[in-house]
Amino acid sequence: MASTITTISPVSGSPIITRQSVTESHFPAILATAQKAFSTFRHTHPLAARQEIVKKALQVLGSRADELGKEITEQMGRPIAYTPKEVATAVKRGEYLLKVSDEALKDTPGEAEEGFRRWIRKEPLGVVLVIFAWNVSLLWGLVGLTG
């Protein structure tokens, strides 16, 4: 049976948002939907297309640093002087990962031998569930460029 989850602001002590939780019975449908999306997306969106999506997401996050900073402060109680900078730092991390993704994800040549062509290919394998701690920066999920 689903329950209600209410986020309380440590700043004001007031409810910020209330949501219905998911239950174990929801997981098969969630996983099936995610796997179907993954199997389609990996074939229709090569790395360059995924990089463009991430680039646009980083631009949106960067342009909303002040607004998102206020939300982080309200939801976590972190002082407002730091939270827009957390967003900016997360964007920088994402930009770095974007910059190195071509090199990091390219095929790795194997040992040469006549009559053989060897390499290690980095292929997306499937859906990954990431559950963040309450104080982890915003964009660590961007490491999922291979998905």
Side-chain angles (χ1 to χ4, degrees):
M1 181 173 178
S3 62
T4 300
I5 300 171
T6 301
T7 301
I8 306 293
S9 172
V11 174
S12 66
S14 301
I16 298 170
I17 190 168
T18 299
R19 297 177 190 239
Q20 290 299 117
S21 68
V22 293
T23 66
E24 190 175 332
S25 67
H26 292 104
F27 289 135
I30 292 169
L31 293 172
T33 300
Q35 189 60 39
K36 182 178 178 186
F38 166 79
S39 63
T40 301
F41 189 80
R42 72 181 289 205
H43 296 296
T44 60
H45 291 73
L47 180 59
R50 289 177 271 168
Q51 289 167 323
E52 276 304 308
I53 292 168
V54 171
K55 185 178 181 180
K56 289 177 185 175
L58 291 170
Q59 290 168 347
V60 169
L61 286 173
S63 71
R64 296 180 58 200
D66 288 337
E67 174 189 350
L68 294 170
K70 288 176 186 173
E71 286 188 26
I72 292 170
T73 294
E74 183 179 23
Q75 293 176 24
M76 293 174 45
R78 183 144 165 81
I80 193 70
Y82 303 113
T83 53
K85 293 175 188 166
E86 281 192 34
V87 176
T89 300
V91 169
K92 283 184 182 182
R93 281 190 207 112
E95 288 170 343
Y96 172 76
L97 292 171
L98 198 55
K99 183 173 91 173
V100 301
S101 61
D102 279 320
E103 183 68 23
L105 298 174
K106 75 177 186 179
D107 290 349
T108 303
E111 188 175 292
E113 183 177 336
E114 190 176 327
F116 292 92
R117 183 171 171 235
R118 297 176 174 152
W119 68 92
I120 297 171
R121 177 158 292 153
K122 291 129 183 151
E123 291 280 338
L125 297 177
V127 176
V128 176
L129 171 65
V130 178
I131 301 175
F132 291 116
W134 67 271
N135 62 349
V136 174
S137 293
L138 297 173
L139 293 180
W140 279 103
L142 284 177
V143 296
L145 280 176
T146 61

